[in-house]
Amino acid sequence: MEAATAPEVASGSKLKVKEASPADAEGPQASPGQGAGSPTPQLLPPIEEHPKIWLPRALRQTYIRKVGDTVNLLIPFQGKPKPQATWTHNGCALDTSRVSVRNGERDSILFIREAQRADSGRYQLRVQLGGLEATATIDILVIERPGPPQSIKLVDVWGFNATLEWTPPQDTGNTALLGYTVQKADTKSGLWFTVLEHYHRTSCIVSNLIIGNSYAFRVFAENQCGLSETAPITTDLAHIQKAATVYKTKGFAQRDFSEAPKFTQPLANCTTVTGYNTQLFCCVRASPRPKIIWLKNKMDIQGNPKYRALTHLGICSLEIRKPGPFDGGIYTCKAVNPLGEASVDCRVDVKVPN
């Protein structure tokens, strides 16, 4: 008799084929030596549907969960009669105290109530039916917040700036860091303000600090779960001091205002009427203050009660009280100081009314 033909291989599945028995496919033939009560061999049921796993698209890349989250994976498969489904974790049997599995007719469920970082790894589902099998691999990554940076140091302070350095955290939370968050707080308010986010270096310069304030700094590590729960704080404060301003005074050159007398406004000729008071005016500039002398026809009239002479802020005036016909003539104002002298003249005519 011919050997039994093997079933076709399903796409993506592995097929294991056993050798055909010498017995006829229709049934075993009784040998002369067999007794009537000898047991007959049982045939396996025929495979109607090859085993195959339908892996959801979301599980074809690393499946990420946070510590404490629930993992509940439902993986559909096919196969008829019902295939045998088994799970492994990193090539070993599952820890049944943490992971539970339920296999149905058309799917298998992997369930973890509270995921821990130790649950990360490669999980493999194997579906077997006779000599055929199909496998699917799922990578699970359980992450948590990173630890804080190990230390932070204030390196330098100049002007309105401060330089910081820190070291990466020992524990990254089972995933790559996304960066660091740098914060500052002045000692007056004690409030923290973020100055840098998603920063990838382990040193930075904090600028635009306010003169007169003292600042402390801290740094958080950050990954996909968020910021670290704590952050190291600088032990030294950054004191932003006002730069000392040095005023250099220039030597004051004393100006010499000394000047010989000079008349800026001369006397003006005038005509007056007998019996009416008359005033003469002129202006003089000099330093030191000059001595003013009035003359009439080159005769000194100082002390004469008929005349009253006044000098104020360089304005010189001479009042002629009720002049008569003999008070006409040439009047002179002379200014004298140690640097020199100057004089101005005018003519005064006195008329008698008709």
Side-chain angles (χ1 to χ4, degrees):
M1 299 294 292
E2 295 181 358
T5 59
E8 297 180 356
V9 179
S11 176
S13 301
K14 297 179 182 179
L15 178 63
K16 295 181 180 179
V17 182
K18 297 181 180 179
E19 295 182 356
S21 62
D24 188 78
E26 296 180 356
Q29 298 290 330
S31 62
Q34 277 185 325
S38 298
T40 59
Q42 298 294 324
L43 294 178
L44 294 175
I47 298 177
E48 300 180 12
E49 189 176 45
H50 292 176
K52 188 174 182 180
I53 298 174
W54 305 99
L55 187 63
R57 184 179 298 273
L59 299 180
R60 296 178 189 177
Q61 56 189 1
T62 302
Y63 184 66
I64 300 177
R65 303 296 289 170
K66 296 180 181 180
V67 170
D69 289 353
T70 298
V71 177
N72 189 9
L73 304 181
L74 186 148
I75 313 298
F77 58 79
Q78 70 177 26
K80 193 174 182 181
K82 177 183 177 181
Q84 181 182 6
T86 57
W87 287 86
T88 59
H89 178 206
N90 294 331
C92 302
L94 297 179
D95 182 2
T96 55
S97 64
R98 294 198 43 77
V99 184
S100 59
V101 173
R102 185 194 68 79
N103 294 323
E105 295 288 340
R106 293 288 180 176
D107 57 43
S108 179
I109 297 176
L110 177 75
F111 181 78
I112 304 175
R113 185 174 298 278
E114 293 183 358
Q116 300 298 324
R117 288 170 60 170
D119 297 323
S120 301
R122 175 160 292 186
Y123 290 78
Q124 188 177 64
L125 171 63
R126 176 179 286 108
V127 176
Q128 295 176 315
L129 181 56
L132 300 176
E133 70 176 18
T135 60
T137 302
I138 303 170
D139 291 320
I140 297 179
L141 181 63
V142 182
I143 63 177
E144 62 182 341
R145 291 188 179 188
Q150 297 183 55
S151 64
I152 182 174
K153 181 173 62 174
L154 179 65
V155 178
D156 191 15
V157 178
W158 79 100
F160 308 100
N161 312 293
T163 302
L164 307 175
E165 287 184 357
W166 60 90
T167 52
Q170 291 183 342
D171 182 10
T172 62
N174 205 27
T175 185
L177 291 179
L178 298 180
Y180 300 94
T181 295
V182 182
Q183 295 183 343
K184 68 178 180 180
D186 65 85
T187 54
K188 294 180 181 179
S189 66
L191 301 177
W192 291 98
F193 296 93
T194 299
V195 294
L196 291 172
E197 289 183 299
H198 312 302
Y199 188 77
H200 294 283
R201 293 185 174 183
T202 56
S203 63
C204 72
I205 297 176
V206 180
S207 304
N208 300 323
L209 302 177
I210 299 175
I211 288 180
N213 286 359
S214 298
Y215 291 89
F217 303 92
R218 66 182 182 183
V219 177
F220 292 88
E222 182 181 7
N223 66 6
Q224 194 170 343
C225 285
L227 300 178
S228 57
E229 294 184 358
T230 59
I233 302 176
T234 53
T235 55
D236 299 327
L237 296 178
H239 303 285
I240 309 302
Q241 298 179 353
K242 185 176 180 180
T245 305
V246 178
Y247 295 96
K248 295 182 178 180
T249 58
K250 296 182 179 180
F252 178 73
Q254 184 69 33
R255 183 176 177 182
D256 187 7
F257 291 96
S258 299
E259 183 181 6
K262 180 180 179 181
F263 283 92
T264 59
Q265 181 67 37
L267 292 172
N269 297 331
C270 68
T271 300
T272 185
V273 178
T274 301
Y276 290 89
N277 292 348
T278 300
Q279 288 186 331
L280 305 178
F281 294 95
C282 62
C283 296
V284 67
R285 184 179 67 198
S287 181
R289 184 177 179 181
K291 178 181 179 181
I292 304 300
I293 301 172
W294 286 94
L295 304 171
K296 176 190 173 185
N297 298 327
K298 299 183 181 182
M299 300 292 294
D300 189 352
I301 56 175
Q302 298 288 108
N304 190 332
K306 191 174 183 65
Y307 305 97
R308 185 173 68 169
L310 297 175
T311 302
H312 180 67
L313 297 177
I315 301 175
C316 306
S317 64
L318 178 68
E319 181 181 8
I320 305 174
R321 297 175 178 177
K322 297 179 180 182
F326 298 101
D327 292 324
I330 302 299
Y331 285 82
T332 302
C333 181
K334 180 186 290 187
V336 181
N337 74 359
L339 299 178
E341 63 179 42
S343 63
V344 289
D345 301 325
C346 72
R347 176 179 288 279
V348 177
D349 293 326
V350 182
K351 291 183 178 182
V352 179
N354 296 329

